[in-house]
Amino acid sequence: MKNPLFEKLFKNKENDENVFLSFGDGTSLTYKEYVKMIYEFSSIFSSIGLKPGDRLALKIEKSLYFLVVYGACVHRGLIFLPINDSATTKELLYFLKDSETRIVISDKEQVHELKKFLINSDVLIETLEKDGTGSLRTIAKCAHFSAEPEVRNLQDIAALLYTSGTTGRPKAAMITHENLISNSKTLMEFWRFSRKDILIHALPVYHTHGLFVATNVILMVSARMIFISKFDVDSVIKVLPKATTIMGVPTYYSRLIESPNLTKELTQHMRLIISGSAPLTKELSDKFFERTGKRILERYGMTETNMISSNPYFGERRAGTVGHALPGIKIRICNPETGKRLSRGHVGEVELKGKNVFRGYWKMSKKTQENFRHDGFFRTGDLGKFDQQGFLEIVGRLKDLIITGGLNVYPKEVETILDSFSGVKESAVIGVPHFDFGEAVLAVIISETGSVPDVKHIAQYLEGNLAKYKCPKEYIFMNSLPRNNLGKVLKKSLREKYRNYFTNIE
Ligand code: AMP
């Protein structure tokens, strides 16, 4: 195949009049229209001199154009770099520099800001608004259309996805064409997706869940998505009667069951309700089941590996577990220190191997090496165990990752910014249970002697430097941080101390 990913997901749809996306305002986009736009954008990229392997960064709000640019990158052989639309300019500049991006596309406001920092740089900067207007489209008038995709092979990189590092420095996972093809094919078959499906898509599109799990599976079977720009209970409830399936994070389901409008009748016809990206508690799974008669199918995955395991489509879906390894994927539980394999019932680090596993971290060969065992198994950093029936349970994380509303926050990144605020001596950022977000970011601050920094000012400072979801929900002042004999902050004890902080006050 000339360009395997393009051929699997986009080709042969040039004359397909079926709807790919439907929107809240009653409008829709057919596959034929979608592919035509992909060719248009791909031609623009070619006319401005982008070559296969060049990095293209995209930071725009969720819209159909996000998916058009994705398709055009695959067609033109570019490496797609989707960026969280709430990333700050500082964060964006880091991604651009680290990935040596050739072109960045964003809205007018962001571009205006970026240009101040990239005056002498040779990075191309174009605007694209969520209605499709912008400087990029004006180039289209002179671009020559071509349906011929660039040649790519399975090991070529299709996308770079940044995941925050525990050291505070985000790393980019190199996702290959093979990773994406193998995983979407596996999911499509395992979850029985077909052309008849209508998926509610309320997820962000810059993250692997909304982009590669949801969108790729739908593209693979030429099905339809109800494209909602941002999750909200009413919009989702309104379209439930039209949908056959939904993919979401646990927070979606906890919010849905709060609504008196969620009824058995509304969901009765739905064939599949999927949750992932963060732990779905047994409690929530059971409550959802009581309300709707539908058992949510929980699956487990990560940016670096795409999807790893899933509860079964047929048969028992065991609440509180993430099911079994997907076909073609091997999972084992090992002692994180020794690497020795552990037997059923024992907690250890989850390791896996399969065509779904990424090629490594961009320009970080040492980091990549550290995360792979000699026999090719990838170390997830998650702690888990197999129960007696072989269902995998994720019980925690080796790293201190906080997952709030399905989005990842690495404490170190927040602490570094907090500590740079005048009057803050040191800080510890932890995740504690939250009734709505699953986990919430909480900052514990030790102030400099004689100084009492104003919380309002700290919050403003953080919001100027970090995406909003990474900013702490609350700030607590202490005299000193608990530490062990080696001077390490005992975050576990902080988490214990404040575990009911948000559950008590709500
Ligand atoms: P991301 O790279 O943003 O997809 O985040 C991956 C991390 O999310 C994993 O390493 C897990 O810690 C967590 N995760 C994803 N799905 C689940 C799940 N179903 N249950 C528990 N944790 C999950």
Side-chain angles (χ1 to χ4, degrees), residues 432-444:
V432 292
H434 188 277
F435 70 105
D436 192 15
F437 294 103
E439 270 185 325
V441 181
L442 185 72
V444 180

Side-chain angles (χ1 to χ4, degrees), residues 62 67 89 94 191 221 226 237 266 268 286 333 369 402 409 412 416 444 446 480 501:
K62 181 175 178 179
L67 301 185
T89 303
Y94 171 80
W191 292 337
V221 294
I226 300 177
I237 287 200
L266 262 188
Q268 206 171 20
D286 289 346
I333 304 294
Q369 240 174 32
I402 301 168
V409 179
K412 183 81 191 160
T416 309
V444 180
I446 317 300
S480 63
Y501 192 85

